[in-house]
Amino acid sequence: MFMFVPVVAYYIVFKYIPMGGNVIAFKNYNFTDGIWGSPWVGMQNFKLLFTDPLAFATIRNTFVIAFLSIVVNFPFPVLLALMFNEVRKQWFKKTAQTLLYLPHFLSWVIVGGLVITLFAQESGTINHLLKQWTGETFPFLYKPVSWLTIFLASGVWKEAGFAAIIYLAALGNIDTSLYEAASLDGAGKIRKIWHVTLPGIRSIVILMLILGMGRVMDVGFDQVYNLQNPIVSNVSEVISTYIYRMGLQGGQFSLAAAMGLFEAVIALVLILATNAVARRFGQGLW
């Protein structure tokens, strides 16, 4: 019981108590009057938020990038775990796992530097090769489509290997007799994966999807901030960077808090909706 005290204290002090600060989303906050003394303005900050073209574009970009991240990034750890599960050479399996896990421990400052080193138009490695082959360079980081592609690919490269650990653990709990029975029925490798492996980890996949939906609006600040540039700001400006620019840089704390509260409410709705759909298939988290 006492082992839970530090964990409970952490969430109370750093998660639940700070939620009271969301009240500044309904106030015209200033340092002089403080959180409780600042004048109450009701829904005015939210009205400003949804009438500001920049804020609307930011919300749209966040939804687009979040949707693409779920579609592109979510299946990769599952596919990696399935491939690792089929590898029989242990030395190759351990080597490949280590190489794919390592990027997770690199900060986005380092990863962003690597991406820029590879794709920069003037000094990037890839453009250097392109210039030798074709005589021209391509602005990978300055075109919306190529920027989004690089953004999604860098996210997969950094996190997919580490996320696959969870699915590998789930694969280890599948009863091997099910594979033997499938072999007796004449099932090949693909049939075994489809009828034994995937159903065996279905509950974990759905659990991870529900948890992932809670972070779908929280498009990583570090990743976006280190990869974006003013030329692609029309697709790269998301809620986290908007809050940073408007709140910390612009001093509009109430407006930034309103955006943050909106993000949290949408995330809660997405979690509830995803869990409701999962419950229909008997796999709900609660």
Side-chain angles (χ1 to χ4, degrees):
M1 178 178 177
F2 291 103
M3 295 179 66
F4 284 100
V5 173
V7 178
V8 173
Y10 168 81
Y11 277 95
I12 291 175
V13 174
F14 294 105
K15 299 295 182 180
Y16 289 102
I17 293 179
M19 289 175 65
N22 284 324
V23 72
I24 70 174
F26 305 95
K27 293 192 170 191
N28 184 16
Y29 174 76
N30 61 81
F31 284 115
T32 303
D33 296 326
I35 293 178
W36 304 112
S38 297
W40 185 270
V41 295
M43 301 298 291
Q44 182 179 339
N45 290 316
F46 292 94
K47 292 178 181 178
L48 291 173
L49 197 65
F50 295 114
T51 55
D52 179 12
L54 176 60
F56 181 80
T58 298
I59 295 170
R60 179 203 62 202
N61 292 341
T62 304
F63 274 110
V64 170
I65 293 178
F67 174 77
L68 291 175
S69 296
I70 289 292
V71 172
V72 175
N73 295 6
F74 185 77
F76 267 89
V78 181
L79 294 174
L80 278 177
L82 292 176
M83 287 189 289
F84 281 142
N85 193 53
E86 297 300 324
V87 175
R88 294 295 173 259
K89 298 290 185 180
Q90 289 300 314
W91 66 268
F92 177 80
K93 183 176 181 179
K94 291 180 179 179
T95 303
Q97 285 178 326
T98 301
L99 292 175
L100 288 169
Y101 294 164
L102 282 177
H104 170 78
F105 300 100
L106 301 177
S107 72
W108 272 112
V109 176
I110 297 175
V111 175
L114 291 173
V115 170
I116 293 172
T117 300
L118 286 173
F119 294 101
Q121 186 171 1
E122 298 298 330
S123 59
T125 305
I126 293 178
N127 268 315
H128 177 71
L129 296 174
L130 278 178
K131 191 170 184 179
Q132 288 183 335
W133 295 338
T134 66
E136 298 180 355
T137 60
F138 185 83
F140 291 102
L141 298 174
Y142 305 105
K143 296 286 186 180
V145 175
S146 58
W147 185 89
L148 281 172
T149 303
I150 292 170
F151 176 87
L152 295 171
S154 62
V156 170
W157 177 75
K158 187 176 186 299
E159 299 296 344
F162 190 81
I165 295 175
I166 298 173
Y167 300 109
L168 280 171
L171 288 170
N173 292 325
I174 297 177
D175 189 353
T176 55
S177 64
L178 296 174
Y179 292 104
E180 297 172 0
S183 298
L184 292 175
D185 289 338
K189 187 69 67 177
I190 301 299
R191 288 288 183 181
K192 289 179 183 177
I193 292 174
W194 184 258
H195 293 289
V196 178
T197 306
L198 288 178
I201 63 173
R202 181 174 57 188
S203 59
I204 299 298
V205 171
I206 293 176
L207 172 62
M208 295 301 294
L209 179 60
I210 293 173
L211 295 176
M213 291 303 291
R215 299 187 297 270
V216 73
M217 293 294 292
D218 184 23
V219 177
F221 171 81
D222 292 340
Q223 183 182 6
V224 176
Y225 187 76
N226 283 286
L227 294 180
Q228 71 176 180
N229 58 76
I231 297 177
V232 293
S233 60
N234 60 321
V235 296
S236 65
E237 189 73 11
V238 295
I239 288 177
S240 57
T241 56
Y242 178 90
I243 292 173
Y244 170 72
R245 298 187 196 285
M246 299 299 291
L248 294 180
Q249 291 186 333
Q252 301 185 48
F253 301 106
S254 294
L255 194 62
M259 178 66 90
L261 184 58
F262 168 78
E263 176 188 8
V265 170
I266 295 299
L268 177 61
V269 171
L270 289 173
I271 289 177
L272 295 175
T274 306
N275 187 72
V277 173
R279 285 183 60 188
R280 291 183 176 272
F281 298 93
Q283 298 291 334
L285 185 58
W286 67 85

